[in-house]
Amino acid sequence: MSEITADHSYLLRSAAELELTEARRQKADRTKSLGSPIQLTGNAIDIQIRGNYAWIAESAHVAKKIDLETGKTLQIYRGHHAPVTCLAFYDRNPNSGDEKLLITGSWDKARDNRLLQTKGLISTTAAHDDFVKTLLVVPSVKLLVSSSSDKIVKFWDLTDVLEKPPQPAGSVSAHSRPVECIAGIANADGTVTLFTADTMGVLKVWKLEREGGPRPRWRSTLLDNFNHHRTRITEIIYDAGYIWTASSDETVQVVPYPPGSSDQKPTPPLTHPLPVRAILPLALSDLEEPYIVTGYGDVIRLYDVSTPSEPEVLGEIDAHWHDVTALRLWIQRSRTGDGRTRIELWIISTSLDGTIRRWRFSELHDSKPDNPAGQSKATVIAPTPQPSGDVKDQVEITEEEERELAELMEED
């Protein structure tokens, strides 16, 4: 390529980037009050909902506990030296469901374990040779699974985790690209069915069997390969005999597993105008309704899949001014004046625009695909408060880190 051609290409790219930046600036102003936004220091890369609280892994090198009712930051967990990418919980007292241990992964390739009761750091482990992408805890068998940009999936034994760091217990290295997401379940016979998906669009299914001895190990056997996505799988969920996947190929796919386990007509791919980064099958939640919420680009979409072979788009919200990265269900429980419990359903969304937003399920359900709810004003349940805690000690994400984060989340 000649210097003139290269310069011309650079100028065109720069002009397109400036145009996109200006469009996002204008949209940020239009959407600044939609979804009762909770403004973050960085971007929420991962989020888990427990009760009325959101636990987030943030690009500003911290994990946080946030009150979803008030928007206040209740606790900040430090220790990593790069963006925190994922988090998971484990029981302090095995099989009690107390979830008193918080486990986080980061770009710094380490994994931290914390006791939430004292908020103290228990251990830090150099887990991978590249960015830690995601974590999965299978509590009944005391197993932690981690995946990374180094293309490796590792197993860790959580026995006696209060006394010693999680111990290496095996790995799989069959993927040729970074392993973006994982899912799994424990079976009645003590084995684990593990699903691993990479940025090439390859999904692998494994049977894990625990081997005895003084140092527990997990032996992996490959059961199946799926190649129904053309490129990067961004999220995977397994439950009720189905694999749910979102992908940068602009589709959401629902596949029965094991094959032949369902006599229903297959659900056709749910196609979108842009890459899909987030899915929330409400049939798998406490709501148990035949809806799927998806996030593509800046938009949140609701599907009715009561007839799986004929999915229908019910509504859309033009929700953020940058890409949606995660969707979760929040079941808000509160007491009324006469002592009764009041329940309200919310969809929680996170985005590269640096916000967590809260949407009443009714808002999404009543929106229209041809006239998205982004044109109306969402109900604000509380003013957006400033984060509490030691704000001066929080790390602002730099422009360079923000660009790198967006590029890494897009890369195939």
Side-chain angles (χ1 to χ4, degrees):
M1 181 184 292
S2 69
E3 287 188 20
I4 294 176
T5 304
D7 289 344
H8 181 63
S9 176
Y10 175 78
L11 288 172
L12 287 176
R13 187 172 67 251
S14 298
E17 289 172 353
L18 287 172
E19 185 177 343
L20 178 60
T21 298
E22 176 59 21
R24 282 176 172 163
R25 186 195 64 77
Q26 293 181 16
K27 189 176 182 183
D29 187 61
R30 293 197 309 270
T31 60
K32 61 186 177 184
S33 64
L34 290 181
S36 308
I38 300 172
Q39 187 66 51
L40 303 173
T41 307
N43 298 313
I45 303 176
D46 191 12
I47 181 170
Q48 302 293 335
I49 308 297
R50 296 293 187 274
N52 289 333
Y53 305 107
W55 298 78
I56 66 167
E58 194 176 30
S59 61
H61 304 189
V62 297
K64 289 179 180 175
K65 179 183 179 182
I66 296 174
D67 189 319
L68 285 171
E69 294 183 317
T70 66
K72 291 183 178 180
T73 298
L74 302 180
Q75 188 64 41
I76 300 171
Y77 299 92
R78 300 181 178 84
H80 287 291
H81 306 292
V84 182
T85 54
C86 48
L87 51 80
F89 296 91
Y90 183 62
D91 297 342
R92 180 184 183 184
N93 299 306
N95 302 316
S96 67
D98 61 26
E99 293 191 327
K100 292 295 185 182
L101 291 174
L102 174 66
I103 306 171
T104 56
S106 169
W107 280 12
D108 62 16
K109 310 170 191 176
R111 191 196 61 244
D112 282 356
N113 306 306
R114 297 174 184 274
L115 180 59
L116 296 181
Q117 198 165 16
T118 63
K119 307 179 182 65
L121 180 64
I122 298 174
S123 65
T124 298
T125 304
H128 286 270
D129 294 330
D130 208 330
F131 302 151
V132 178
K133 285 281 193 177
T134 189
L135 298 169
L136 170 71
V137 170
V138 188
S140 62
V141 294
K142 302 178 180 179
L143 173 66
L144 170 68
V145 184
S146 61
S147 74
S148 167
S149 294
D150 65 10
K151 309 170 191 175
I152 308 296
V153 177
K154 292 188 176 183
F155 313 138
W156 307 87
D157 180 43
L158 294 174
T159 304
D160 301 325
V161 70
L162 288 174
E163 284 72 44
K164 59 185 179 182
Q167 299 298 298
S171 65
V172 295
S173 55
H175 286 275
S176 62
R177 298 298 294 271
V179 181
E180 184 76 7
C181 45
I182 53 181
I185 60 165
N187 302 310
D189 61 0
T191 63
V192 172
T193 302
L194 179 69
F195 303 84
T196 61
D198 65 28
T199 58
M200 186 73 81
V202 175
L203 190 159
K204 296 179 181 290
V205 186
W206 307 86
K207 178 182 180 181
L208 305 185
E209 298 175 277
R210 181 167 177 155
E211 298 177 331
R215 294 186 59 186
R217 303 284 295 178
W218 287 88
R219 184 176 72 251
S220 58
T221 303
L222 182 62
L223 299 179
D224 281 295
N225 266 300
F226 290 90
N227 294 281
H228 53 289
H229 284 292
R230 299 191 313 274
T231 187
R232 177 183 183 220
I233 297 175
T234 53
E235 186 164 12
I236 179 170
I237 298 171
Y238 179 72
D239 201 352
Y242 287 90
I243 307 170
W244 309 69
T245 49
S247 172
S248 293
D249 67 7
E250 303 177 0
T251 69
V252 169
Q253 302 219 30
V254 185
V255 177
Y257 192 83
S261 59
S262 173
D263 56 3
Q264 286 186 341
K265 289 184 178 180
T267 302
L270 307 180
T271 58
H272 297 71
L274 293 168
V276 185
R277 289 191 173 178
I279 50 174
L280 177 61
L282 296 180
L284 306 181
S285 70
D286 292 341
L287 186 59
E288 295 183 347
E289 293 290 344
Y291 300 117
I292 302 176
V293 188
T294 64
Y296 71 92
D298 310 346
V299 177
I300 299 172
R301 174 181 283 185
L302 177 68
Y303 284 91
D304 181 343
V305 288
S306 53
T307 304
S309 59
E310 299 176 2
E312 178 186 0
V313 177
L314 291 184
E316 285 188 345
I317 294 178
D318 196 3
H320 290 267
W321 59 263
H322 208 313
D323 293 346
V324 175
T325 54
L327 296 167
R328 301 288 185 265
L329 177 66
W330 173 32
I331 301 178
Q332 183 187 24
R333 292 179 171 86
S334 57
R335 289 285 184 181
T336 62
D338 57 3
R340 292 183 297 175
T341 299
R342 180 172 177 266
I343 295 177
E344 191 165 14
L345 304 177
W346 299 79
I347 302 300
I348 302 299
S349 60
T350 64
S351 164
L352 291 179
D353 67 10
T355 64
I356 299 172
R357 304 200 186 214
R358 300 161 285 189
W359 311 93
R360 285 187 170 89
F361 178 73
S362 57
E363 290 174 339
L364 180 56
H365 188 276
D366 295 339
S367 64
K368 301 296 180 184
D370 56 350
N371 184 24
Q375 303 299 320
S376 62
K377 291 186 178 180
T379 304
V380 178
I381 61 172
T384 305
Q386 295 300 314
S388 62
D390 300 326
V391 177
K392 66 181 188 308
D393 292 332
Q394 295 185 47
V395 179
E396 294 265 2
I397 186 170
T398 65
E399 289 185 14
E400 184 179 359
E401 279 187 324
E402 187 170 3
R403 285 195 300 272
E404 186 178 359
L405 174 64
E407 288 169 2
L408 281 169
M409 296 189 75
E410 286 289 356
E411 75 173 6
D412 293 327

